[in-house]
Amino acid sequence: MTGSVSSEDGAWWRSAVVYQVYPRSFADSDGDGIGDLDGITGRLDHLAELGVDVLWLSPVYPSPQADNGYDISDYQDIDPLFGDLAAFDRLLAAVHGRGMRLVMDLVVNHTSDRHPWFQESRDPASPKRSWYWWRPPRGGAGAGGGAPNNWGSFFSGPAWTYDEAGGAYYLHLFSSRQPDLNWEEPAMRHAVYAMMRWWLERGVDGFRMDVVNLISKDPALPDGPLRGDGPQGDGSPSYVCGPRVHDHLQEMHREVFAHHPGRLLTVGEMPGVTVEQARLFTDPARAEVDMVFQFEHVSLDHGPGGKFDPRPLRLTDLKASLARWQEGLAATGWNSLYWSNHDQPRIVSRFGDDGPLHRVRSATMLATVLHLHRGTPFVYQGEELGMANAPFASIGDFRDIESLNHHAQALAAGEDPERVLRGLRAMGRDNARTPMQWDASPGAGFTTGIPWIPVNPDHTTVNAAAARSDPHSVYHHYRRLIALRHSEPAVVHGDFTLLLPQDERVYAFTRSHRGTTLLVLGNFTGGSVRLDLPPQWWQAGRILGNVPGTDPAEPGSATVLAPWEARVLRRTEGATAR
């Protein structure tokens, strides 16, 4: 399946589409209410029929589940919640048998506090003491001496916790249950590389590397500037793309990836990365990673109070951001393209319209605009159905540690409880983690038991079974989009040119390659929009759209985009056309 459009530089993943599975919420084979590996295996035909090339599997390693599996206690096994290594091997064989590849989540900025490495490191005399960031209190013995610096955690509160047994503080940029590994320690790095080689030798086809640009910290661990009026400082200048991050990734490539030339996909999740930094990370000559996940475009609707203080998206901001990344990585490097993942709210609720009138149209428009950019698209489970945010009634409906910690901290600070809940409903990570909606049954076809988090009540109408039977569904539009990527070289290799940069209603751009040019139009509003197309597009062929019967304009006339309409036109020039 992969590479039906030849990748001109030999990189198969340029013409591929990746599908992310969040195992806890995808398919439950044993009725315990939690998704598992055999459940995923049983649903692989859905992915094969969709046409995707790669399955990205979120963490399935043993874990206390303090952060839904991103707190790993054993890197070389499977959590019993999800099955065992035999079940993993069955899944891997079934993925390969369908012509797809499987990419694992790699979480090596931190481990669980239950990991044997960390447990050993609590002893000051242990050789593994240096595998984590242990530091004495700043002002004297005991916890009363204060944390080594003022850094705050991504999950609220301080980034340091005092450990009585260890007699010191340890650093955790995320939960206190997720101590950060010290990448300054060579023995630790080589233990990680050995683990990675073990998975690749088992047949895994690459890694998505969680917050991998945070692995290098300034060893001086200086205080950061204060965040607002709170006690915590912003430590990011000391760890976002830290002083030795490129050294570490180049060493990782030499030790691990270089032994599998041409086979793997490596994706670095990199919060706070800039275009200029991403160009370095993804330059093939530097041998670091194939592409990065950046967060700029999914931060544009964050208000002054952060992600849980959302504001309406300005389309001109979105176009400027994505176009800058397109242009910045055009000559060197490569983009990843995504709207959704396990950390983001549902895109049809966020940037589209999830009401019954426009849900399908806005979901398909958003998909079209994203997938026709230059880069490798990522589809998050349920996105291909137009799954929407869940109607969380109270804080008791939430499961995610980030949301629960934010709620507690905000209420302690005196914020209005209903306003806090509105922010969580709009932006909370649990929106992406409600069960996959396979059919209209009480468990949505996800489970015969009680799901670990409630199913979205809209599953009675928004589900895979209904979508497959409707040729105009979101699902079938995704199939057509993916097929277009596999068949049209301009989608993979074409130059990108943004049009109408100041228009707040229409997203428009062209992709040009060897005499073929595609014009992509997306109406980001619930009203009709009139456009004057340049003459060269008056008679261009329409190759994809989400509104039947919308043909190109007659010569000299305006064209009208219906509410949330997407339209892709194609024209060729001279003998060089394909």
Side-chain angles (χ1 to χ4, degrees), residues 152-411:
S153 159
F154 286 104
F155 287 170
S156 304
W160 294 91
T161 291
Y162 186 78
D163 181 67
E164 292 287 349
Y169 282 88
Y170 64 87
L171 176 67
H172 54 88
L173 294 182
F174 296 88
S175 163
S176 62
R177 305 285 304 278
Q178 295 168 287
D180 277 44
L181 288 164
N182 178 12
W183 276 73
E184 293 297 304
E185 173 52 59
M188 187 285 299
R189 297 200 306 271
H190 286 278
V192 167
Y193 303 152
M195 171 270 292
M196 295 170 68
R197 287 192 293 266
W198 185 84
W199 282 108
L200 295 179
E201 289 159 7
R202 202 174 192 97
V204 167
D205 301 296
F207 297 103
R208 174 268 187 188
M209 295 181 271
D210 188 67
V211 296
V212 75
N213 67 320
L214 309 186
I215 59 176
S216 175
K217 280 82 171 175
D218 179 349
L221 303 175
D223 280 343
L226 291 178
R227 297 172 173 172
D229 299 327
Q232 266 79 58
D234 176 10
S236 63
S238 297
Y239 59 72
V240 172
C241 300
R244 295 189 60 208
V245 66
H246 293 289
D247 295 338
H248 296 330
L249 290 178
Q250 288 168 12
E251 180 183 72
M252 180 188 289
H253 192 280
R254 290 193 304 271
E255 294 288 329
V256 181
F257 304 141
H259 300 288
H260 301 267
R263 180 169 78 85
L264 306 179
L265 171 64
T266 59
V267 187
E269 184 201 31
M270 297 191 178
V273 72
T274 66
V275 173
E276 294 73 25
Q277 291 164 339
R279 192 182 300 126
L280 297 177
F281 285 118
T282 63
D283 181 349
R286 294 172 57 85
E288 296 185 29
V289 297
D290 296 326
M291 64 192 79
V292 305
F293 282 143
Q294 55 90 8
F295 290 74
E296 184 178 296
H297 67 297
V298 290
S299 303
L300 297 173
D301 57 348
H302 294 183
K307 69 177 285 185
F308 294 118
D309 179 29
R311 62 187 178 189
L313 174 73
R314 291 183 60 211
L315 182 60
T316 49
D317 291 342
L318 179 66
K319 290 192 283 191
S321 174
L322 292 181
R324 195 158 45 79
W325 281 85
Q326 290 283 293
E327 294 158 6
L329 299 184
T332 302
W334 191 251
N335 282 287
S336 64
L337 308 173
Y338 76 95
W339 289 133
S340 305
N341 58 39
H342 62 288
D343 285 334
Q344 302 294 332
R346 291 289 181 178
I347 193 59
V348 71
S349 301
R350 185 178 191 178
F351 292 168
D353 182 343
D354 62 9
L357 183 62
H358 292 311
R359 181 185 63 84
V360 170
R361 185 86 61 78
S362 63
T364 52
M365 184 280 294
L366 287 163
T368 304
V369 167
L370 183 78
H371 282 236
L372 272 294
H373 280 75
R374 182 177 182 269
T376 297
F378 288 71
V379 179
Y380 180 69
Q381 64 183 49
E383 186 181 341
E384 79 281 13
L385 306 178
M387 281 180 60
N389 281 357
F392 297 113
S394 70
I395 191 61
D397 292 337
F398 291 86
R399 302 289 185 270
D400 177 43
I401 186 172
E402 181 188 40
S403 294
L404 297 176
N405 285 358
H406 172 76
H407 183 265
Q409 182 171 299
L411 264 57

